[in-house]
Amino acid sequence: MRWDNLTNDTEATAPALFAADAVTTRTIDTPEFRGITFHEIRARSIVNRVPGASRMPFEWTVNPYRGCTHACVYCFARKTHSYLDLDTGLGFDSQIVVKVNAPELLRRELASPRWRGDHLAMGTNVDCYQRAEGRYGLMPGILTALTERANPFSILTKGTLILRDLELLRRASRVTDVGVSVSVGFTDRELWRTVEPGTPSPERRLDVVRTLTSHGIPCGVLMAPVIPFLGDSPEQLRATVRAIAESGATSVTPLVLHLRPGAREWFTAWLTEHHPRLLRRYDALYEGGTYAPKWYQRRITGMVHDLATEYGIGPYEPGAHRNVRAREEEPPADAEGTADPASAEPAQLTLL
């Protein structure tokens, strides 16, 4: 395993985040974590810069974990496991890298004279409230460090474990800007069971939205991913947006499935097993690339925004699901991240 080559999430040429002698590997044989291997490491850095070409409305991220037991077959982050010579399929789901020193490291980096208190986004690579968080409890220390510095931040999650830290989130929201959003791409339970087997159900995730908003923490929903031919019918979109509205979400932001290397192969294998009749349709829609065509993205985005207006959610603004504004100096961009100032339709995001 190439521990020496594990670099920052966004910079493949950066120095290794930790040394080989800072790694402890544990296989936990309990009913909750049977078959899961945890690689406990002491990271050298925890605040990562987003590439300048990214269309994200934030510039800095914190990711205390690599790999994810949510086991979503479409997860774009699967490719990052190949940097460790780990498998991007089952390995991504069961070989979890844990940056055990994340809270103390974040506290140190926030105290640096070079740090200017920029927004920090979490849940951008893998879910910081996946099941491993129940064992390692890194997020309370991370939230406390952010609160101590009144540093703005946002969290995107599919995990109900975030409710454990409800009081910490309330405390942080009194001193800084806090954005929380939950990812719910669809409410179809059969689809959920097969493509997101390690996650709480969509209903439980929407209960998280309901609980957070009822305690004074506004919560948006990233409607991601909208899966072509399986979760994109008008009836399915309406049912999902209606459920999101009923949860009290402050915003809904649609994101069409995109298939990056690593994720593409794993998703195609899943499609071959469960929906082989759709293989040709996917080949035609994606044409071997990462993103669905603009016309399809715009159609889905327009339908979701119309439904959101009908159900009283909105208005839509870029970055609304994270309570952060888009970078003002950047014009709207298309799905490939290329500037497209002539486009009148709201842009799709490219990362969770």
Side-chain angles (χ1 to χ4, degrees):
M1 189 178 298
R2 297 181 301 169
W3 292 113
D4 289 341
N5 292 338
L6 181 59
T7 60
N8 284 329
D9 295 330
T10 57
E11 300 181 58
T13 59
L17 286 179
F18 50 89
D21 60 1
V23 179
T24 301
T25 298
R26 296 187 186 184
T27 301
I28 310 299
D29 189 20
T30 66
E32 183 182 5
F33 293 111
R34 184 150 294 155
I36 305 298
T37 298
F38 293 108
H39 302 284
E40 300 174 354
I41 64 98
R42 294 191 62 80
R44 291 177 177 167
S45 176
I46 195 66
V47 176
N48 302 310
R49 187 161 201 161
V50 177
S54 171
R55 297 172 49 223
M56 293 300 95
F58 46 80
E59 296 186 54
W60 303 93
T61 65
V62 169
N63 292 297
Y65 300 97
R66 280 177 177 265
C68 187
T69 54
H70 284 343
C72 301
V73 297
Y74 52 75
C75 184
F76 71 87
R78 288 182 176 276
K79 178 67 175 177
T80 62
H81 248 40
S82 67
Y83 306 155
L84 299 173
D85 281 344
L86 288 172
D87 175 54
T88 60
L90 287 176
F92 181 83
D93 304 338
S94 61
Q95 302 277 331
I96 310 302
V97 176
V98 184
K99 301 172 188 178
V100 293
N101 63 331
E104 63 189 79
L105 194 54
L106 179 60
R107 182 172 282 105
R108 187 181 75 197
E109 294 186 30
L110 294 182
S112 168
R114 295 190 300 272
W115 181 247
R116 300 190 176 184
D118 292 330
H119 181 101
L120 283 171
M122 291 174 279
T124 61
N125 188 35
V126 299
D127 202 321
C128 52
Y129 280 106
Q130 61 175 289
R131 286 191 296 131
E133 171 62 16
R135 173 180 177 83
Y136 287 96
L138 301 180
M139 286 303 293
I142 288 172
L143 295 178
T144 299
L146 290 164
T147 303
E148 289 171 352
R149 289 282 170 176
N151 201 105
F153 66 89
S154 61
I155 298 170
L156 172 65
T157 184
K158 288 186 177 82
T160 56
L161 189 58
I162 190 174
L163 294 181
R164 178 202 64 190
D165 296 339
L166 178 58
E167 188 51 43
L168 291 174
L169 291 169
R170 294 180 64 185
R171 191 179 307 162
S173 67
R174 298 187 192 111
V175 299
T176 191
D177 292 333
V178 175
V180 180
S181 55
V182 173
S183 178
V184 181
F186 42 83
T187 53
D188 185 313
R189 290 186 64 85
E190 192 59 35
L191 184 59
W192 158 64
R193 288 190 182 98
T194 56
V195 300
E196 300 172 342
T199 66
S201 70
E203 292 83 2
R204 290 184 62 200
R205 283 178 254 165
L206 290 175
D207 283 340
V208 169
V209 177
R210 195 171 287 110
T211 300
L212 290 172
T213 56
S214 69
H215 284 83
I217 301 174
C219 185
V221 169
L222 183 63
M223 191 170 161
V226 176
I227 302 180
F229 318 124
L230 293 171
D232 65 348
S233 72
E235 296 76 17
Q236 288 172 309
L237 295 178
R238 176 173 289 276
T240 302
V241 175
R242 181 174 60 243
I244 291 170
E246 290 172 351
S247 74
T250 56
S251 66
V252 55
T253 304
L255 174 64
V256 172
L257 175 73
H258 57 277
L259 297 172
R260 295 185 172 188
R264 168 180 285 278
E265 295 82 358
W266 194 242
F267 181 82
T268 300
W270 173 84
L271 202 65
T272 301
E273 178 180 354
H274 294 276
H275 302 282
R277 61 184 177 80
L278 294 179
L279 286 170
R280 288 188 178 182
R281 298 182 71 181
Y282 267 84
D283 287 341
L285 186 66
Y286 285 85
E287 296 183 329
T290 297
Y291 302 102
K294 291 181 185 177
W295 65 262
Y296 179 85
Q297 293 189 40
R298 289 168 176 165
R299 189 186 80 183
I300 296 299
T301 300
M303 292 174 67
V304 170
H305 289 170
D306 288 346
L307 288 165
T309 299
E310 179 181 339
Y311 288 109
I313 312 176
Y316 169 82
E317 294 180 7
H321 70 291
R322 281 191 177 270
N323 191 27
V324 59
R325 295 185 179 184
R327 301 178 190 177
E328 294 180 358
E329 69 273 14
E330 295 182 359
D334 63 23
E336 286 73 35
T338 305
D340 186 15
S343 174
E345 292 83 0
Q348 288 256 334
L349 301 176
T350 58
L351 290 175
L352 294 185

